[in-house]
Amino acid sequence: MTGRFIANPDTVSADSVAIGDIDDDGRQDVVFGRSTAAGGGLVGVVRGTADGLAPRATLIGQNTPGVPGTGESGDRFGTDVSVGDVTGDGYADVVAGVPGEDLVGRTDAGTFAVLRGSAAGLAGTGPRSSARTRPG
């Protein structure tokens, strides 16, 4: 019997998992975060199909074009993932935590990225990030 992977071995375990309809096709997609993957962490999406889950995951990191930031060891992109329509456009978006991101001279200040859902899955355009750079 031959095994079947949905993602390469660097993404086999996950820190966090969420479910939502990223592409608004009526099928649930599985989103996972793998904060210790090379390049500062990854978010993966396994799309739901009429036959179950897709055979491969789409992997997104901070080095993916259009995603805010630059993937650096220790960023921990994808430590937590959550799925919901944050932008109000009818597609479920992914919010990914990046607790190890350094900002404005502060080590591990942390941030999060909103990766926009679309008919094609997670879009490489329009992601946003946010961080608190002042205490209080």
Side-chain angles (χ1 to χ4, degrees):
M1 179 174 180
T2 303
R4 186 171 114 172
F5 293 105
I6 5 185
N8 66 42
D10 189 33
T11 59
V12 185
S13 63
D15 297 299
S16 141
V17 176
I19 297 174
D21 188 2
I22 305 297
D23 52 10
D24 195 32
D25 66 355
R27 297 179 181 98
Q28 296 297 302
D29 306 305
V30 177
V31 178
F32 62 90
R34 175 78 166 102
S35 68
T36 58
L42 293 170
V43 168
V45 178
V46 182
R47 291 177 68 176
T49 72
D51 298 321
L53 293 175
R56 304 285 304 166
T58 299
L59 302 175
I60 298 167
Q62 287 182 290
N63 293 329
T64 300
V67 175
T70 301
E72 301 160 321
S73 179
D75 280 353
R76 301 189 333 258
F77 181 78
T79 294
D80 290 305
V81 293
S82 185
V83 177
D85 186 5
V86 175
T87 60
D89 63 0
Y91 295 99
D93 308 301
V94 174
V95 179
V98 195
E101 184 72 26
D102 298 339
L103 298 167
V104 192
R106 298 182 78 187
T107 301
D108 296 340
T111 188
F112 65 89
V114 177
L115 307 170
R116 297 183 67 157
S118 73
L122 282 185
T125 59
R128 304 173 187 181
S129 67
S130 182
R132 180 174 219 144
T133 57
R134 293 183 296 162

